[in-house]
Amino acid sequence: MTAEAVPTVARRMCVDCKEMTDWPVIVGGVEQNSGPGWIAYACPACAHHYRTADDLGAALVTHAVHCKVCAAAGADCATAEALREAHGAAAEAGR
């Protein structure tokens, strides 16, 4: 991977509003008795229905500390932008 190549986040469907989002936030996981489980995603505007502002803030800090793209660019990558937007929505909702 070169310095110019920035990984992108895959489009996912929001479990709440059912719209496709370019900024998915992980909000849960489903385990199966048989076969693989799956990860539940929400758009940043809906993520506060599943995660608190404190939880989303902690996820943002943890991501920023470990993300090489965020550290190298000095700005948010796509995942950090989604977490920051979701944290703002949760704070506005009082969660």
Side-chain angles (χ1 to χ4, degrees):
M1 182 165 72
T2 65
E4 297 84 32
V6 177
T8 58
V9 179
R11 287 178 55 92
R12 303 286 184 208
M13 185 173 70
C14 175
V15 296
D16 197 58
C17 68
K18 308 296 188 246
E19 295 291 324
M20 294 299 290
T21 179
D22 290 325
W23 309 103
V25 176
I26 295 174
V27 294
V30 177
E31 295 183 18
Q32 301 278 351
N33 288 334
S34 174
W38 52 278
I39 297 174
Y41 296 91
C43 65
C46 295
H48 72 276
H49 295 292
Y50 302 93
R51 296 175 72 176
T52 65
D54 290 342
D55 184 35
L56 290 163
L60 175 60
V61 169
T62 301
H63 170 79
V65 167
H66 298 290
C67 178
K68 292 178 182 162
V69 174
C70 289
D76 290 346
C77 70
T79 301
E81 284 185 39
L83 287 168
R84 189 175 307 281
E85 186 178 334
H87 177 263
E92 285 180 17
R95 288 225 40 205

